[in-house]
Amino acid sequence: MSDVRPGRHELGQNFLTDRSTVDRIVHLVSQRHGPLVEWGTGNGAVTLALAELGRPLQGVEIDPRRAADLRRRIGPHVCIAEGDILRHAPPQDAVVVSNVPFHLTTPILRHLLASTTWRHAVLLTQWEVARKRAGVGGTTQLTAQWWPWFTFTLDRRVPATAFRPRPSVDGGLLLVDRRREPLLPESRRRAFQSWVARVFSSRGRGVADILRRNGVPGALADRIARRRRRSSAPVLPRDLRAEDWVEAYAARP
């Protein structure tokens, strides 16, 4: 992939140049059904590989020059549109693919999760973001707030040398899949997410105490804490899993 030109820093572009990572992305996408959407096509390294799957593919690129260049090089079953991915709505049941601009990771993830149309996402993000979203080494508030409706899976680490220009940190492949059977109905999402935010911001002597302060019956709070205890260190909200959050929330009066 020696023809890849450096990205424009004002657009947050670090283009993927490692063929093995591109192949891995295509493999992951091939296991998921639905029309394809790529957010941020850049120079087209991933786009051209996805096009070989022969499925409907829409690319969204904010840089008009790169979008025009890619249109000249790609097949007729691929549509390359100029636009801001933070304003784009994926089609129904889509598979969203993106080498996420590192400086826009959180707003892009929030925009994606708030959309109700897509079904799967294969995302290349900063390594630490991918780890945290997948709950590796502890759960973040954002993951906990969306867990009843999505699963988050860490696939692999992608070294900084796989990008050009080279970023200061490694990347990570993160898989986000909408649950076929949500753990909570959509109508309870706002209330659940507000409650999770209160739990994360509450003080207490470990998660059992924190859950009790937020309306969870004491016996259940203690049972959840015991379930997640791995050492003598206190169990904290970051240690809970999706089923713990849902069980605790549902048990409140």
Side-chain angles (χ1 to χ4, degrees), residues 65-104:
R65 179 172 60 87
R66 296 193 184 279
D69 177 67
L70 186 54
R71 287 192 198 101
R72 291 191 290 267
R73 297 188 290 128
I74 205 150
H77 67 292
V78 180
C79 173
I80 304 298
E82 295 175 25
D84 184 349
I85 58 182
L86 289 173
R87 298 176 180 272
H88 182 260
Q92 193 68 36
D93 295 327
V95 181
V96 178
V97 185
S98 184
N99 174 14
V100 178
F102 285 0
H103 72 295
L104 292 176

Side-chain angles (χ1 to χ4, degrees), residues 10-148:
E10 68 270 23
L11 299 179
Q13 294 173 312
N14 295 97
F15 294 132
L16 182 62
T17 59
D18 178 63
R19 186 71 222 186
S20 65
T21 303
V22 172
D23 290 344
R24 180 61 181 172
I25 291 172
V26 173
H27 172 71
L28 293 168
V29 170
S30 71
Q31 296 179 320
R32 290 159 169 79
H33 301 290
L36 307 181
V37 174
E38 185 185 2
W39 280 356
T41 55
N43 273 339
V46 176
T47 319
L48 293 167
L50 290 174
E52 295 179 3
L53 294 174
R55 290 158 60 178
L57 170 59
Q58 179 185 20
V60 182
E61 172 57 44
I62 198 170
D63 187 333
R65 179 172 60 87
R66 296 193 184 279
D69 177 67
L70 186 54
R71 287 192 198 101
R72 291 191 290 267
R73 297 188 290 128
I74 205 150
H77 67 292
V78 180
C79 173
I80 304 298
E82 295 175 25
D84 184 349
I85 58 182
L86 289 173
R87 298 176 180 272
H88 182 260
Q92 193 68 36
D93 295 327
V95 181
V96 178
V97 185
S98 184
N99 174 14
V100 178
F102 285 0
H103 72 295
L104 292 176
T105 299
T106 297
I108 287 174
L109 281 174
R110 290 187 183 279
H111 173 62
L112 178 69
L113 293 171
S115 172
T116 60
T117 53
W118 61 278
R119 183 157 296 279
H120 307 284
V122 179
L123 308 175
L124 181 51
T125 72
Q126 291 166 290
W127 171 243
E128 283 303 315
V129 171
R131 288 182 71 253
K132 289 178 180 178
R133 293 295 165 263
V136 176
T139 303
T140 65
Q141 178 178 309
L142 180 63
T143 296
Q145 287 177 317
W146 289 99
W147 244 343

Side-chain angles (χ1 to χ4, degrees), residues 205-212 216 218-231 233-236 239-240 244 247:
R205 297 184 301 275
V207 76
D209 185 34
I210 293 172
L211 290 176
R212 281 194 293 269
V216 179
L220 175 59
D222 291 337
R223 186 162 66 250
I224 290 174
R226 289 195 300 270
R227 184 189 300 162
R228 298 305 167 195
R229 186 174 301 282
R230 297 293 181 268
S231 67
V235 180
L236 300 173
D239 299 312
L240 302 187
D244 303 323
E247 185 179 10

Side-chain angles (χ1 to χ4, degrees), residues 173-232:
L173 278 174
L174 175 68
L175 311 178
V176 186
D177 297 290
R178 193 180 301 272
R179 296 182 188 270
R180 291 191 176 276
E181 296 185 5
L183 304 182
L184 286 174
E186 176 65 23
S187 60
R188 301 176 71 179
R189 178 169 64 84
R190 289 185 180 274
F192 173 80
Q193 291 180 340
S194 295
W195 177 76
V196 169
R198 290 196 298 273
V199 171
F200 265 92
S201 62
S202 295
R203 296 182 178 182
R205 297 184 301 275
V207 76
D209 185 34
I210 293 172
L211 290 176
R212 281 194 293 269
R213 292 170 183 260
N214 285 276
V216 179
L220 175 59
D222 291 337
R223 186 162 66 250
I224 290 174
R226 289 195 300 270
R227 184 189 300 162
R228 298 305 167 195
R229 186 174 301 282
R230 297 293 181 268
S231 67
S232 59

